[in-house]
Amino acid sequence: MNRVIHPIEQESFRRLRTRLDTSHFAPLTRAVVERVIHSAADLDYAGDLVTDEVALEKAHAALHAGAPVVVDVEMVAAGITRRDTVCRLKDAKSGPGLTRSAHAIRLAYEEVGPGALWVIGCAPTALEELLTLDASPALVIGLPVGFVGAAESKAALRESGLPAVSNVSEKGGSAVAAAALNALLYHPVSQAAKASPSVKEKS
């Protein structure tokens, strides 16, 4: 089913493109960059985000083939409008050396197993915990925000070699993380991919 785009959203993207030329980005990278910028009204994300077009293509295919989507907090889930998500934060408990957010990631992995898309927009410790698991993710959208651990956890994600969307700075958050996932959800699926649903570029 085609998504109906509200005129306000259309005008917002038109204005974004008058202020920033995104035409040089590959298609999925451009979709992610534009939607993240749109969600935050922050043009600096064009140079702050780190993406890989090949990884995005594979993640896009996995997502539209029905791969699970796991989020770290309900605020991220609330921003993902066209897909059910898994969030185990309500069931999680903190303990010695383990934050509640990290425990929630463990619980989610026990539920979904490998091959999921992980969307982390709040807690650096959630991203750090994911990196300790053998999650074999289709994609990690790692955009936690904060002055403690956020930039470091995103650097560790990039160093891990996992397919990822991240950013260099301390900024991020639930809205931008959800926006990155929505960019993949909203991006059209080719007719070839519909017929056969099987499942480095830096910005």
Side-chain angles (χ1 to χ4, degrees):
M1 188 171 98
N2 291 332
R3 188 174 73 96
V4 177
I5 302 175
H6 194 280
I8 292 175
E9 181 178 337
Q10 292 179 324
E11 176 62 13
S12 181
F13 274 87
R14 187 195 67 78
R15 294 188 187 190
L16 184 162
R17 290 165 184 153
T18 65
R19 296 174 64 180
L20 178 71
D21 181 9
T22 60
S23 62
H24 61 286
F25 289 116
L28 285 166
T29 297
R30 182 182 188 185
V32 169
V33 169
E34 287 189 344
R35 192 152 291 276
V36 166
I37 289 172
H38 174 261
S39 72
D42 186 347
L43 297 173
D44 289 344
Y45 273 111
D48 192 38
L49 285 168
V50 181
T51 64
D52 180 281
E53 186 70 11
V54 173
L56 291 178
E57 288 171 356
K58 293 177 179 178
H60 181 259
L63 180 64
H64 288 274
V69 176
V70 182
V71 301
D72 62 331
V73 293
E74 292 290 350
M75 286 186 292
V76 175
I80 297 171
T81 55
R82 303 187 76 186
R83 176 61 68 86
D84 290 335
T85 61
V86 173
C87 182
R88 297 297 302 275
L89 190 61
K90 290 181 180 177
D91 306 312
K93 300 183 185 303
S94 61
L98 184 71
T99 67
R100 189 169 163 231
S101 295
H103 186 218
I105 294 299
R106 289 188 190 179
L107 294 175
Y109 177 61
E110 291 171 3
E111 179 177 342
V112 304
L117 289 89
W118 296 77
V119 189
I120 297 174
C122 182
T125 57
L127 181 53
E128 291 164 1
E129 182 64 24
L130 178 60
L131 296 180
T132 70
L133 303 175
D134 188 21
S136 299
L139 185 71
V140 180
I141 295 175
L143 296 168
V145 61
F147 292 117
V148 179
E152 293 84 354
S153 67
K154 289 178 279 195
L157 172 60
R158 291 189 292 277
E159 291 166 6
S160 74
L162 293 174
V165 173
S166 67
N167 70 306
V168 175
S169 72
E170 296 164 325
K171 66 185 176 183
S174 298
V176 296
L181 192 281
N182 284 337
L184 300 181
L185 275 174
Y186 299 162
H187 196 80
V189 179
S190 70
Q191 292 303 315
K194 288 178 181 177
S196 177
S198 60
V199 177
K200 186 160 175 180
E201 169 186 322
K202 300 292 182 183
S203 65

